Amino acid sequence: MENEIWKPVVWFEWLYEVSNLWRIKSFKNWRYWLWIWKIIKWTKHPKWYRRITFLNKPYLVHRIVAQAFIPNPENKKTINHINCIKNDNRVYNLEWATDKENIRHAWDNWLKENTRIQSSKGMKLYWSKRLNKIWII
């Protein structure tokens, strides 16, 4: 089994910690000079992602893990699941990506057949329904 490494959750450092195996714990109590922590249960997002609620607001677990463990020097805004399993949120399965890279990854792994459009000139076009954009690759 892998060694579990814990880091504070971005924006909630004083209250929550996340592990590289995507478990999240919250500060429950402080008693007798000891920190007492409790592992938080996740819920399922309608699109098969796992989410967790902090202060009555839902957050996606893969985004919390990526913000804590994966540097993002290029300031990319999307997180890609490398093995294409949406509920596998371990650190080594996540990477920062642009929308274009994420759509390309989904298409290359047969996750989104409807995002590929063939033009009359034989170019490969990718269309994002969410962003309503077309890219030429």
Side-chain angles (χ1 to χ4, degrees):
M1 183 162 172
E2 301 176 45
N3 292 332
E4 196 164 18
I5 301 167
W6 293 92
K7 287 192 176 183
V9 172
V10 177
W11 299 106
F12 298 100
E13 292 89 353
W14 67 95
L15 201 54
Y16 298 99
E17 287 189 351
V18 62
S19 80
N20 58 335
L21 303 179
W22 69 266
R23 295 193 322 154
I24 298 176
K25 63 183 180 180
S26 71
F27 172 66
K28 183 180 175 188
N29 204 344
W30 189 81
R31 189 181 297 159
Y32 306 114
W33 304 100
L34 296 173
W35 292 98
I36 298 173
W37 294 91
K38 177 185 176 186
I39 301 295
I40 301 175
K41 293 181 181 178
W42 52 268
T43 58
K44 197 184 299 181
H45 186 270
K47 294 186 178 181
W48 290 98
Y49 293 107
R50 292 183 176 169
R51 70 178 170 195
I52 215 149
T53 303
F54 295 145
L55 305 176
N56 295 325
K57 185 176 178 191
Y59 292 90
L60 296 172
V61 173
H62 64 274
R63 181 161 290 281
I64 294 168
V65 173
Q67 287 173 339
F69 286 95
I70 304 170
N72 188 10
E74 297 176 23
N75 205 18
K76 296 179 179 181
K77 62 180 181 175
T78 308
I79 298 162
N80 187 26
H81 289 81
I82 298 168
N83 69 359
C84 303
I85 300 172
K86 292 180 178 181
N87 59 12
D88 183 3
N89 297 311
R90 292 173 287 183
V91 173
Y92 65 84
N93 183 45
L94 301 175
E95 66 181 355
W96 288 100
T98 61
D99 288 327
K100 184 176 179 179
E101 292 167 345
N102 203 13
I103 290 170
R104 174 85 189 231
H105 180 265
W107 185 73
D108 288 345
N109 291 288
W110 298 95
L111 295 176
K112 295 207 181 245
E113 295 179 56
N114 60 348
T115 57
R116 178 180 157 188
I117 304 169
Q118 284 288 76
S119 72
S120 60
K121 297 180 181 178
M123 295 187 304
K124 291 181 183 176
L125 304 176
Y126 295 86
W127 177 54
S128 169
K129 291 179 185 176
R130 181 173 62 92
L131 299 173
N132 200 19
K133 285 186 180 179
I134 294 178
W135 290 287
I136 300 171
I137 298 180

